Amino acid sequence: MAKYRARQVMSASRALGMEFDQQRRGVAVALGLILLLALVQPAAFVQPSLGSTIVPEAAWIDDREARLELARILAALGQVRETREQVIAMAAAEPHDPAHQLALANIMMTWGDFRRAEVILRPLLARDDLDGPTRRRAALELSRVLLAAQRYEEAEEELLLALHGDERDRQAWHDLVALRIAEQDVDNALILLEAPAPVPSDDPTRLRQQSRALSATGAYHAALDLQTALVEQGAERRADAVARARLLIRLERQEEADALLAGLLADDPDDIDARYLWFHLDPQREEDPWCEAQPPRLTPEQLVRWGELDAQAGQHAAAIVCLEAALEQDPEQFQARLALAEATATVRDYDRSIALLDALLEDFPETSKLQFTRARVLSWAERYEDAQEAYAALREALPEDPVPTREAARVALWSKDAETATRLYRELQVSEQAERFQSEVESLRMRTQRPAIDAALSDLGEALGDGRVYPMLGPLEEALAEEGDALLPELRDQLARLVIELRPLDRIQESAFLEEQAKLRAWHRRFRTANTRFTELIAVQPGNQEARFDLAQMQCIIGLHDKSIDTYESLLNIDPLHTRASEAVERITIRSRPSLGLNLSAWSEESPGGTRLAAIDRQHAELAAEIPLKNGRYLVNVGQHLWQERPKPLDDVRGGDQLLGTYEAQGQSLGFSGVLTSWLSAAAQITYKDYRSSALTDPTLGRAAITVNLRDWADLSLEYERTEMLANGFALEQGILANLWRLRLSVPVRRWLDLGVLAEYQDYSDDNQGVALRADLGVVLKDHPRELKVTLTGEYRDVRNQNIFEYEGANLVNIQYPYWTPQDYVAGALTLQWRHDLAEFLFCGARQHVYLLKLGLGTDTEHNAGIRFEGEYRYDFAPRWSFTAQGMIQRSREWDAEGLWLGLSYRF
């Protein structure tokens, strides 16, 4: 045990690195005594109660600094159970010692107890007797707590206030750059790094931060140059050398990376980061897997780090093996338990992850990081009610924290609860904290006497009374930029400080407003305006990964696939392990390749007791090639066709000498379709059909369409189609064609309600004309992925000339207008539709697996009641293969029909 504890302490010393040395030089002797006692009597480090230990009371360690140092070491080693209660007790025992409270808050960060650390730091900052250096330390420590809790807006406030008080504060400036990088606002981080700053341009920490920011943008050569500058300065640390090796690997300079890593390992064989990279450059050079070796080759802490590196590389199964090995050696290792819960959630083993988190929370109750992680895993597991309960507990514990409310709103939309999502987003857009600034704003307004600033402060003060800051802070900043130089320095300084203090609320409210607008527009299928809102949201929150993914989804739905892949790739620059984005990029890449498909169809119709003149069987085969352009935004289609048409006797006319037999044709088609802008799309196709029989006319067919989106209120399409009217042998013989002009309006009234209207003008080649009007009102009763929908359809048709039958004696020799020619015809139908999405991933661009069933009942003014059944199925059964099937059966007194369509395609 003593040997194991010694190895743990050495490992912790390496983990703490320079910071450990710098912080504790003043207690070197005390630390030496602590380490010596750790080898002999480790139980002495746990706060005992009388009768709970064999260690004599005289041997208990009472020195406060010693206990703090021990707490740091144990926390770094993952022995949180041994130190957490002690730290909490120490915080309660001496609430008035600022240095002591700062140290304890810092230690609490080790296991993610952000809320308790904040509860310590905020009262400390509120004290009037705090000296300047201690206040600065507390403010910087609070900013780090807020950063770790992903409360970036509030962390920024603390840092900006520190720089406002002393613009030469190097640590605050470095922390502000680190904040920008952490919130993935790399562009603004680089602006800070490249602008004049209180830190020299060759400062080692500044060079490290600049290298990291450039690396995040993919500028690996520039990042490597900065790391090399550290070497030239003699300022390179081991972590810098490992970062340099990573950049060399990214630039495919493996030999240089191998030599650098070998040198690092010669110095310190236990450097896990270096060994991990060195091992993965050539896994064959060592036989035993590091995490599975027996006896163990790594300590629990080293196994945790190896597992973390595996997880960062996307090797989650391997990470789980390492973390399980760490827990076999030390079942209480906190970091291993938490990392295993996160890794099992990543591989979608949600039950195990939740069980691990529940056990952690039982041991470490009210630890905010654990509570957040559990709420997130519950939502990923689609246990939405449980997730909302978890988020509600977090909101109740710390109402001013915007993160649980924001995440709960997103989860509400995942669970299709738009009402709750709206309420939660609206809660974020008002704040009780805003009202406390109202009197200060009014006081400043009375003193400014500048028109633009006065107007901006007046509007801001009125908004503050309603709990709002956004969008009224922006005009004040503009007014200060315009008129601020005319103010007295003291007043200008007070206004600048006011802006900094209001900025967190402004940012939180603005992002909540934009996210609500974007997501609810997407919810109501207003994808183009949602696209605009998501773009605006990303401009103010560059690190909002969900917004980037949603933006890519909007672009995919609209058909802007080239922009969609750019957005996905920007997301992968932020999070290379984003599985959905990786899958989407892979799908777009596959869809960008040419495809070859075979399409088969069979159609049969007849009118057993009416006047529709339907009597024909038709078969069609197409070998279709598709060439995508700009990642599939534009498509060029080429087809080779074979047709067979077989007229049948007309049962609903007397006698007749119809054109019976089988007629074959072949032909070619060329088509184009594409999304020209987010508001405009177009398609066109021309088909040439060549009959083998010289008695039949060879038609040229085609279609064209242009669709304009009317600001998401409706889609308006103008369509043209030139098609054959092949209802029977007479129509085939006469080569009847129809030029159809359509005006189509599609209105997404609500997510659950849609309206479609169609007006069609029919111009037949035999000098006949007609009109058709149709309206469809659809109501969604059950939402995706198991969608139940009811559609009510109304239809009107009128053709100028009706059928004219020509006889020679009793024999029917000809029909003029040999197709259905209704006059003042009205019909109605009710259709029940069931659509079930079986796909593994439910996002635009994912591999599809879906079926659809429709049952329709209808009647018309000819008292022709009918029933129709339709079915569709699509399955992308392999990454490059797709299969589609569609069928229809119609039965009524006047018209019977059935059809089958099959398709199989492969993308190269």
Side-chain angles (χ1 to χ4, degrees):
M1 173 60 78
K3 180 179 178 182
Y4 172 62
R5 283 287 177 134
R7 187 168 61 172
Q8 282 187 314
V9 170
M10 292 172 63
S11 178
S13 300
R14 283 193 297 272
L16 293 170
M18 293 297 293
E19 183 178 345
F20 178 88
D21 295 334
Q22 291 168 355
Q23 290 178 346
R24 303 305 345 142
R25 286 194 182 104
V27 290
V29 175
L31 179 58
L33 293 174
I34 291 171
L35 298 180
L36 177 61
L37 186 58
L39 298 177
V40 180
Q41 288 185 316
F45 288 90
V46 182
Q47 176 66 42
S49 58
L50 290 174
S52 66
T53 174
I54 62 171
V55 179
E57 186 173 359
W60 295 359
I61 296 176
D62 294 323
D63 182 83
R64 186 177 62 182
E65 288 299 319
R67 289 191 180 281
L68 286 173
E69 203 59 65
L70 177 62
R72 287 190 184 93
I73 293 172
L74 289 176
L77 293 169
Q79 305 305 309
V80 174
R81 188 193 295 273
E82 298 182 35
T83 189
R84 178 176 176 272
E85 292 184 6
Q86 172 100 356
V87 167
I88 293 172
M90 291 169 71
E94 298 188 57
H96 303 297
D97 185 333
H100 191 58
Q101 294 290 302
L102 279 170
L104 293 170
N106 180 269
I107 295 170
M108 290 174 181
M109 294 274 289
T110 310
W111 59 84
D113 207 343
F114 310 133
R115 185 167 58 247
R116 189 171 274 110
E118 183 179 358
V119 167
I120 289 175
L121 293 169
R122 289 219 183 260
L124 190 61
L125 283 165
R127 286 172 53 174
D128 295 330
D129 61 340
L130 213 59
D131 62 76
T134 304
R135 183 176 297 280
R136 171 187 170 275
R137 283 180 54 207
L140 294 183
E141 191 64 38
L142 177 60
S143 76
R144 291 166 193 147
V145 170
L146 295 169
L147 170 60
Q150 297 180 315
R151 293 164 62 183
Y152 304 121
E153 300 89 352
E154 297 160 274
E156 179 191 54
E157 176 192 3
E158 300 300 329
L159 297 172
L160 291 177
L161 285 173
L163 287 167
H164 180 73
D166 181 5
E167 61 183 16
R168 297 168 300 172
D169 190 330
R170 292 190 176 192
Q171 188 58 57
W173 184 87
H174 280 307
D175 284 0
L176 183 60
V177 174
L179 168 67
R180 293 284 182 257
I181 295 174
E183 64 179 330
Q184 295 152 350
D185 188 359
V186 180
D187 290 341
N188 279 318
L190 288 171
I191 289 172
L192 278 172
L193 288 160
E194 292 165 5
V199 176
S201 60
D202 60 350
D203 175 79
T205 303
R206 181 172 180 171
L207 291 175
R208 292 183 187 100
Q209 290 181 317
Q210 194 165 2
S211 175
R212 183 180 172 192
L214 288 168
S215 181
T217 68
Y220 302 125
H221 285 97
L224 182 60
D225 290 341
L226 293 171
Q227 290 289 345
T228 305
L230 287 172
V231 179
E232 293 169 354
Q233 286 185 16
E236 184 180 55
R237 301 173 181 172
R238 291 191 65 83
D240 299 324
V242 172
R244 185 155 56 95
R246 291 184 193 281
L247 289 168
L248 289 168
I249 292 169
R250 285 187 177 276
L251 293 170
E252 299 182 355
R253 292 161 60 176
Q254 277 84 357
E255 290 184 5
E256 295 174 68
D258 193 283
L260 173 59
L261 292 167
L264 290 172
L265 290 171
D267 268 351
D268 181 4
D270 292 330
D271 187 331
I272 294 301
D273 287 62
R275 184 163 296 282
Y276 182 89
L277 291 176
W278 183 78
F279 173 75
H280 282 279
L281 279 173
D282 183 8
Q284 301 302 318
R285 61 178 141 208
E286 296 195 35
E287 295 181 3
D288 295 332
W290 280 89
C291 292
E292 301 177 62
Q294 291 297 333
R297 302 168 67 180
L298 301 177
T299 67
E301 295 72 43
Q302 292 172 326
L303 285 166
V304 170
R305 182 58 185 157
W306 195 286
E308 290 172 346
L309 292 169
D310 270 333
Q312 291 170 14
Q315 305 297 320
H316 301 294
I320 289 171
V321 171
C322 290
L323 298 168
E324 288 175 337
L327 290 171
E328 283 182 15
Q329 290 189 49
D330 183 0
E332 297 299 316
Q333 223 285 350
F334 178 85
Q335 282 84 1
R337 295 172 70 186
L338 177 56
L340 182 59
E342 293 170 337
T344 50
T346 303
V347 298
R348 306 175 75 185
D349 188 355
Y350 299 124
D351 289 343
R352 185 182 182 193
S353 177
I354 292 166
L356 288 164
L357 289 165
D358 286 341
L360 278 165
L361 279 166
E362 185 175 346
D363 292 341
F364 312 105
E366 299 181 7
T367 300
S368 50
K369 183 174 183 178
L370 297 178
Q371 291 175 309
F372 265 110
T373 304
R374 181 176 179 274
R376 288 163 181 161
V377 175
L378 286 168
S379 66
W380 300 337
E382 300 182 7
R383 290 173 53 180
Y384 297 124
E385 289 186 9
D386 293 336
Q388 290 293 10
E389 287 182 9
Y391 281 120
L394 284 163
R395 295 201 304 277
E396 183 178 356
L398 197 61
E400 58 268 30
D401 184 355
V403 178
T405 306
R406 183 186 299 126
E407 293 189 7
R410 294 171 181 172
V411 171
L413 276 175
W414 297 353
S415 64
K416 316 249 185 276
D417 186 356
E419 183 179 347
T420 297
T422 302
R423 175 178 57 79
L424 291 168
Y425 279 124
R426 299 285 168 85
E427 285 181 12
L428 285 170
Q429 294 171 52
V430 294
S431 172
E432 294 179 0
Q433 300 176 58
E435 296 179 16
R436 66 184 175 90
F437 292 95
Q438 203 170 9
S439 59
E440 181 183 356
V441 167
E442 180 60 24
S443 172
L444 290 169
R445 189 184 70 80
M446 299 296 292
R447 297 164 55 196
T448 56
Q449 299 180 349
R450 305 299 302 179
I453 297 176
D454 182 86
L457 284 170
S458 177
D459 292 342
L460 177 60
E462 186 177 340
L464 290 171
D466 297 328
R468 297 182 182 275
V469 177
Y470 174 79
M472 297 307 174
L473 189 63
L476 176 59
E477 292 180 286
E478 293 172 5
L480 286 172
E482 180 183 339
E483 299 179 343
D485 291 341
L487 298 174
L488 293 172
E490 180 186 357
L491 182 57
R492 187 168 60 244
D493 181 79
Q494 289 176 334
L495 285 166
R497 186 178 181 89
L498 173 70
V499 169
I500 292 172
E501 291 176 338
L502 288 174
R503 190 185 300 275
L505 292 177
D506 179 71
R507 289 185 61 192
I508 291 166
Q509 291 179 2
E510 181 182 16
S511 61
F513 170 77
L514 291 173
E515 187 165 316
E516 178 203 357
Q517 293 286 307
K519 283 188 170 288
L520 290 178
R521 277 167 167 73
W523 170 259
H524 289 298
R525 308 187 193 281
R526 304 189 187 280
F527 302 118
R528 289 156 185 83
T529 49
N531 178 68
T532 302
R533 287 302 195 191
F534 277 122
T535 303
E536 294 170 354
L537 176 59
I538 290 168
V540 301
Q541 275 192 331
N544 189 329
Q545 295 186 29
E546 179 147 339
R548 287 184 183 271
F549 186 82
D550 287 342
L551 174 62
Q553 287 287 284
M554 299 305 103
Q555 293 164 335
C556 173
I557 293 168
I558 296 168
L560 301 172
H561 299 297
D562 54 332
K563 294 186 179 295
S564 180
I565 196 169
D566 290 343
T567 304
Y568 282 128
E569 287 174 347
S570 74
L571 173 53
L572 288 170
N573 282 337
I574 294 172
D575 180 5
L577 301 180
H578 197 294
T579 54
R580 296 291 186 272
S582 299
E583 170 79 10
V585 168
E586 180 184 356
R587 292 297 302 163
I588 294 175
T589 303
I590 291 173
R591 271 205 319 272
S592 301
R593 305 295 300 165
S595 73
L596 188 64
L598 177 64
N599 300 315
L600 304 172
S601 67
W603 173 261
S604 178
E605 61 177 326
E606 57 188 31
S607 50
T611 59
R612 298 204 179 188
L613 303 184
I616 196 167
D617 292 335
R618 304 173 64 188
Q619 290 82 40
H620 176 219
E622 177 191 15
L623 186 63
E626 181 181 87
I627 304 169
L629 305 173
K630 292 198 75 171
N631 299 109
R633 178 171 176 173
Y634 306 108
L635 299 173
V636 176
N637 297 281
V638 180
Q640 174 64 44
H641 303 263
L642 294 175
W643 290 274
Q644 274 193 352
E645 278 127 19
R646 188 179 300 107
K648 298 185 287 187
L650 282 166
D651 294 334
D652 53 350
V653 297
R654 300 182 302 280
D657 187 19
Q658 296 97 339
L659 190 67
L660 303 179
T662 300
Y663 297 85
E664 296 182 348
Q666 66 86 29
Q668 298 78 39
S669 63
L670 174 64
F672 169 84
S673 62
V675 179
L676 307 180
T677 72
S678 60
W679 309 95
L680 183 66
S681 60
Q685 180 173 305
I686 186 169
T687 302
Y688 175 69
K689 187 173 183 179
D690 179 16
Y691 281 102
R692 285 191 179 182
S693 172
S694 59
L696 300 178
T697 303
D698 299 332
T700 299
L701 312 172
R703 59 180 176 82
I706 185 166
T707 301
V708 180
N709 180 270
L710 306 176
R711 298 293 300 174
D712 270 346
W713 293 107
D715 285 324
L716 181 64
S717 300
L718 177 62
E719 304 171 5
Y720 167 77
E721 182 177 6
R722 182 176 175 84
T723 185
E724 295 178 287
M725 300 300 293
L726 297 182
N728 52 62
F730 291 109
L732 178 63
E733 183 180 32
Q734 295 174 34
I736 303 295
L737 299 177
N739 295 303
L740 307 176
W741 295 89
R742 301 188 186 102
L743 193 64
R744 189 188 304 271
L745 186 69
S746 301
V747 183
V749 183
R750 290 286 186 272
R751 178 179 177 85
W752 52 270
L753 182 67
D754 58 76
L755 174 67
V757 179
L758 173 70
E760 179 181 88
Y761 173 72
Q762 305 156 345
D763 182 18
Y764 298 96
S765 58
D766 57 359
D767 198 29
N768 200 4
Q769 291 83 37
V771 294
L773 302 174
R774 177 185 173 118
D776 297 282
L777 184 66
V779 179
V780 176
L781 305 177
K782 184 176 173 56
D783 214 326
H784 184 271
R786 295 175 176 85
E787 184 179 287
L788 182 63
K789 183 178 181 180
V790 174
T791 302
L792 182 64
T793 301
E795 185 178 13
Y796 171 79
R797 290 178 177 270
D798 186 68
V799 178
R800 189 183 65 184
N801 299 316
Q802 288 191 295
N803 316 119
I804 299 176
F805 299 91
E806 298 178 0
Y807 292 90
E808 289 185 358
N811 295 323
L812 177 67
V813 296
N814 188 40
I815 303 176
Q816 292 186 42
Y817 317 119
Y819 41 84
W820 186 35
T821 57
Q823 289 189 328
D824 291 327
Y825 171 86
V826 178
L830 184 69
T831 302
L832 186 66
Q833 172 183 302
W834 172 258
R835 185 180 185 274
H836 188 185
D837 196 335
L838 302 167
E840 180 181 7
F841 299 120
L842 301 177
F843 61 86
C844 177
R847 286 167 59 179
Q848 295 187 50
H849 188 192
V850 60
Y851 70 87
L852 180 147
L853 302 173
K854 289 183 179 180
L855 178 64
L857 302 172
T859 188
D860 55 26
T861 49
E862 297 175 354
H863 307 291
N864 180 43
I867 184 170
R868 176 192 293 248
F869 177 77
E870 297 177 66
E872 296 179 22
Y873 179 71
R874 170 160 181 165
Y875 185 29
D876 298 338
F877 58 90
R880 297 175 184 271
W881 287 93
S882 293
F883 171 74
T884 58
Q886 183 178 354
M888 187 277 282
I889 298 174
Q890 163 81 31
R891 290 293 181 266
S892 69
R893 188 189 72 244
E894 299 281 349
W895 184 51
D896 290 347
E898 52 267 343
L900 178 65
W901 296 262
L902 301 174
L904 182 67
S905 65
Y906 174 78
R907 290 202 178 271
F908 294 94

